[in-house]
Amino acid sequence: MTVVTRFAPSPTGFIHVGNLRTALMNWMIARKQGGQFILRLDDTDQERSKQEYVDALKEDLEWLGLTWDREERQSARLERYAEAAEDLRTKGKFYECFESPTELDLKRKKQLNMGKPPVYDRAALKLTEDEKTRLRAERGGYWRFELEQERIEWTDGILGPISIDAASVSDPVLIRQDGQVLYTFASSVDDIDMGVTFIVRGADHVTNTATQIQIMEAMGGTPPGFAHHSLLTGPQGEALSKRLGVLSLRDLRAQGVEPMALLSMMARLGSSKPIEVMRSHEELIEGFDIESFGAAPTKFDQADLFPLTKTWVQGLPFADVQDRIVALGVPEALREPFWNVAKDNITVLNDLSGWWDLFRDGAEPDIAAEDADFVAEALTLLPPGPYTRDSWGEWTAKVKEATGRKGKGLFMPLRKALTGQAHGPDMADVMPLLQRIRAKE
């Protein structure tokens, strides 16, 4: 049997790290087993779904290298949902309801005050045809699926054996008063029609899964396997949901996070395996094991992406960054030496421009008052460039002989005078790259 997974985002905003975790797991399962990965756009909400978000999410997935084998849009399948709904009405599994949101809220509050679970009371099933006709004229109705009130059980790929009493769950609303087909129904129809065999999604969907299993079975389909991954929290365990808007993939990309650094984290976060930078998608897929993930909430700290990005960047060969370095305007003879010097002193590739600015334009000297005379004398001993790797050693030897300074008292003031920094690359490597020394002017 061909493994078929899917990622079904709603194009109502930019996708974020939480969405990525779901997409990545489904993608890796399909790729590891030679199966099919479907990108399915949940765009039945025509008011909130925007083409700009469709374009953006495709761009984000392509940036990460998460390719899909097939694209589907739920907005193109409305006739199919209407057909499936009519089939369930014929089978007596759909029933029309008329309560307003206010009336439903009052019912829930009353049930809670009585110590009962806030489950829909199925009052609509008791309406006569005349009452339905009158209410339909007054306000229009919406449609619920009538659950079989029995235990719904499955073995979850992450959570293990799950058993939910359907009597403790409200009959789900599947079609709104305005006719919009809701996620629970459209997704169930699609998963059966498209032959989806396995679904990974967040633990907040567990109850949805229970109801969808019954919906799929009522349609005559075989439900796929399910795995529900833990939800992400902030680094202190705080809810992440309010911050997800600022954790969009495009924001992380703008900050210089590298695709494989992000994928490496998301492929292991919440599992028993250590997070380490993978150098290829193949390595990522090979190391993925759904059974290694746990049920506990998973802490996510955006700051952890930058050490991973640094590791990835420092492992890049010159050929992979050559175009970027050419774009900075680095002369051909200096390009590879520049990369070899700069790479160990950057976190993201965007940091390269700062280093080339320093080498090309010279740094603002950082000279302590007590070192001013020493530095001035030392600079008279520095010949004009261009310099070689030997220039630093030859110059500091002359300065030591002339001034008697040595060790840190010799080297640190000179480093700070030339680079404006107390730390950085080996000065023997820096000297050949210096196009200008402002302290000498």
Side-chain angles (χ1 to χ4, degrees):
M1 178 181 70
T2 301
V3 171
V4 180
T5 66
R6 46 77 162 177
F7 174 47
S10 297
T12 56
F14 299 121
I15 59 174
H16 50 67
V17 290
N19 303 134
L20 171 59
R21 199 153 170 248
T22 299
L24 179 59
M25 288 186 179
N26 284 290
W27 180 83
M28 288 191 292
I29 287 169
R31 293 292 175 259
K32 191 166 188 174
Q33 300 187 49
Q36 186 180 78
F37 176 66
I38 301 172
L39 173 61
R40 193 170 74 210
L41 302 171
D42 181 358
D43 60 349
T44 56
D45 186 340
Q46 293 297 293
E47 287 186 12
R48 297 177 61 225
S49 297
K50 307 290 184 186
Q51 183 60 39
E52 64 183 284
Y53 294 132
V54 173
D55 296 339
L57 77 86
K58 288 182 180 180
E59 183 182 287
D60 288 339
L61 293 177
E62 288 168 347
W63 170 62
L64 293 166
L66 302 187
T67 55
W68 53 95
D69 304 299
R70 173 177 164 192
E71 180 186 333
E72 298 282 354
R73 283 181 180 251
Q74 291 189 330
S75 58
R77 291 174 49 78
L78 300 181
E79 290 185 5
R80 172 67 185 116
Y81 303 141
E83 178 186 288
E86 188 56 38
D87 177 58
L88 290 179
R89 288 190 191 96
T90 301
K91 293 176 178 176
K93 298 300 296 180
F94 254 19
Y95 64 98
E96 195 172 12
C97 305
F98 301 91
E99 293 93 346
S100 68
T102 300
E103 289 168 339
L104 290 172
D105 188 50
L106 288 172
K107 283 187 178 187
R108 283 191 290 267
K109 289 177 178 177
K110 183 177 180 180
Q111 288 170 316
L112 289 169
N113 289 336
M114 296 172 63
K116 296 180 179 180
V119 175
Y120 180 62
D121 60 8
R122 293 183 165 178
L125 287 172
K126 302 180 181 69
L127 295 173
T128 65
E129 287 303 319
D130 287 344
E131 289 172 324
K132 290 180 185 179
T133 300
R134 176 178 58 79
L135 289 168
R136 207 174 281 129
E138 288 178 4
R139 60 179 76 174
Y142 59 94
W143 293 84
R144 291 182 185 266
F145 177 81
E146 185 176 355
L147 292 167
E148 296 292 335
Q149 294 192 330
E150 59 191 22
R151 299 207 74 83
I152 304 169
E153 299 178 337
W154 74 93
T155 300
D156 194 273
I158 293 175
L159 304 178
I162 300 289
S163 179
I164 293 178
D165 184 358
S168 68
V169 180
S170 291
D171 289 341
V173 176
L174 300 189
I175 301 178
R176 292 196 332 187
Q177 190 177 49
D178 62 3
Q180 182 185 329
V181 176
L182 297 183
Y183 163 83
T184 307
F185 183 45
S187 182
S188 299
V189 175
D190 290 347
D191 289 335
I192 292 300
D193 285 359
M194 298 174 189
V196 174
T197 61
F198 199 78
I199 297 169
V200 184
R201 55 187 179 183
D204 53 338
H205 283 283
V206 168
T207 301
N208 278 343
T209 294
T211 59
Q212 286 180 308
I213 286 173
Q214 280 207 8
I215 293 167
M216 292 175 184
E217 289 175 341
M219 291 190 297
T222 300
F226 290 93
H228 294 83
H229 61 69
S230 59
L231 300 182
L232 296 179
T233 72
Q236 306 304 317
E238 71 275 20
L240 198 65
S241 55
K242 292 182 180 179
R243 293 186 53 226
L244 286 176
V246 298
L247 292 175
S248 70
L249 302 194
R250 55 195 40 237
D251 284 344
L252 295 176
R253 185 187 346 172
Q255 294 171 47
V257 172
E258 288 292 320
M260 284 306 299
L262 181 56
L263 293 175
S264 295
M265 173 181 273
M266 288 300 152
R268 294 282 179 88
L269 195 65
S271 79
S272 58
K273 295 187 175 184
I275 294 173
E276 52 192 352
V277 174
M278 307 292 179
R279 303 306 301 188
S280 69
H281 289 90
E282 290 73 22
E283 188 179 356
L284 197 76
I285 294 165
E286 182 60 31
F288 177 71
D289 179 9
I290 193 74
E291 294 182 359
S292 70
F293 287 82
T298 301
K299 293 181 180 180
F300 170 78
D301 190 343
Q302 181 180 355
D304 292 339
L305 288 168
F306 293 95
L308 294 171
T309 289
K310 184 175 183 177
T311 298
W312 167 264
V313 165
Q314 292 178 348
L316 290 173
F318 170 67
D320 287 0
V321 296
Q322 184 172 0
D323 289 348
R324 182 184 285 261
I325 291 173
V326 169
L328 291 176
V330 181
E332 185 174 0
L334 297 181
R335 288 169 189 167
E336 192 159 3
F338 168 70
W339 170 243
N340 291 332
V341 169
K343 68 179 180 181
D344 292 333
N345 295 274
I346 62 174
T347 297
V348 300
L349 285 172
N350 290 339
D351 293 342
L352 284 173
S353 60
W355 280 106
W356 180 242
D357 288 347
L358 186 155
F359 295 146
R360 182 192 61 212
D361 302 331
E364 181 67 33
D366 180 7
I367 303 172
E370 63 270 23
D371 292 324
D373 292 342
F374 162 71
V375 171
E377 181 180 357
L379 289 172
T380 65
L381 299 173
L382 179 63
Y387 303 107
T388 69
R389 288 198 83 258
D390 296 328
S391 298
W392 174 255
E394 292 168 353
W395 177 45
T396 53
K398 289 179 184 178
V399 175
K400 179 180 179 181
E401 183 179 352
T403 65
R405 284 211 188 193
K406 57 185 179 179
K408 187 175 181 181
L410 168 67
F411 299 117
M412 184 59 72
L414 299 183
R415 170 186 282 279
K416 292 169 71 175
L418 267 59
T419 69
Q421 301 178 12
H423 305 284
D426 189 314
M427 288 301 295
D429 295 323
V430 168
M431 293 298 288
L433 297 170
L434 287 176
Q435 309 295 290
R436 180 185 176 194
I437 298 175
R438 290 164 65 178
K440 199 177 179 186
E441 298 173 354

